[in-house]
Amino acid sequence: MILNFLLFFFNKKTLSIRGSVTEISKSMSLPKDVCQEFLNIFTEKSAKNLYRATKQDNDKCMIYILILYVMANSPSTIQVSDVEPISRELKLEISKTSNMLREAGFTVAKKGASTGAVLNVPLTFPPPKRRGRGGK
């Protein structure tokens, strides 16, 4: 259920959302408490009743969605045999989906025509990406 709410929020959210939490929750058809938490986690309040989502906020939302998707797909083993359906839903390339899952600690492997992901213990994270001199 929370995955559905999060997908709905992600698809309805724009870079700027104006209004009170009550107004936003009604316009997005989300429960008020859920909407409030999503706004707190995935946006930054920049002025009274104005919420802005940065690229980092959008990436964080997508990673939350990916983790919930894998957990919902196989809760006992925390793995998924194909990430293509969620990539399509999020309008992401499979390579971008794979990179985000790796950043969250998943092991991602291509098996035939599909790309699967599994969360193993102990977690292994990729080294942080280094930025060039321009900070880009």
Side-chain angles (χ1 to χ4, degrees):
M1 183 191 251
I2 195 76
L3 178 58
N4 286 336
F5 286 152
L6 195 52
L7 280 168
F8 193 75
F9 177 80
F10 179 78
N11 288 326
K12 289 284 188 178
K13 176 177 64 62
T14 61
L15 292 178
S16 294
I17 304 168
R18 185 175 296 279
S20 69
V21 175
T22 304
E23 293 168 342
I24 296 168
S25 69
K26 283 182 184 177
S27 72
M28 291 188 172
S29 302
L30 292 172
K32 183 179 176 185
D33 293 340
V34 171
C35 186
Q36 176 69 62
E37 283 304 308
F38 288 170
L39 289 171
N40 289 341
I41 296 170
F42 304 116
T43 65
E44 297 171 11
K45 192 169 185 178
S46 60
K48 185 178 181 182
N49 293 335
L50 180 64
Y51 300 87
R52 295 192 185 275
T54 64
K55 181 183 179 330
Q56 290 83 5
D57 293 326
N58 283 332
D59 287 350
K60 180 170 43 170
C61 188
M62 284 188 275
I63 289 174
Y64 272 59
I65 290 169
L66 292 171
I67 292 169
L68 288 171
Y69 174 77
V70 174
M71 290 174 68
N73 198 314
S74 180
S76 60
T77 57
I78 309 182
Q79 68 180 6
V80 64
S81 59
D82 191 7
V83 297
E84 195 272 331
I86 194 67
S87 294
R88 188 177 45 233
E89 178 73 27
L90 295 174
K91 298 175 181 80
L92 289 175
E93 295 289 325
I94 291 179
S95 61
K96 175 80 170 161
T97 303
S98 298
N99 287 338
M100 289 183 146
L101 285 166
R102 281 187 194 97
E103 289 174 14
F106 285 81
T107 302
V108 180
K110 189 145 179 86
K111 298 171 189 162
S114 62
T115 302
V118 63
L119 190 62
N120 294 315
V121 177
L123 292 177
T124 55
F125 295 98
K129 294 179 183 174
R130 297 199 170 195
R131 291 186 170 185
R133 289 190 142 210
K136 295 180 182 180

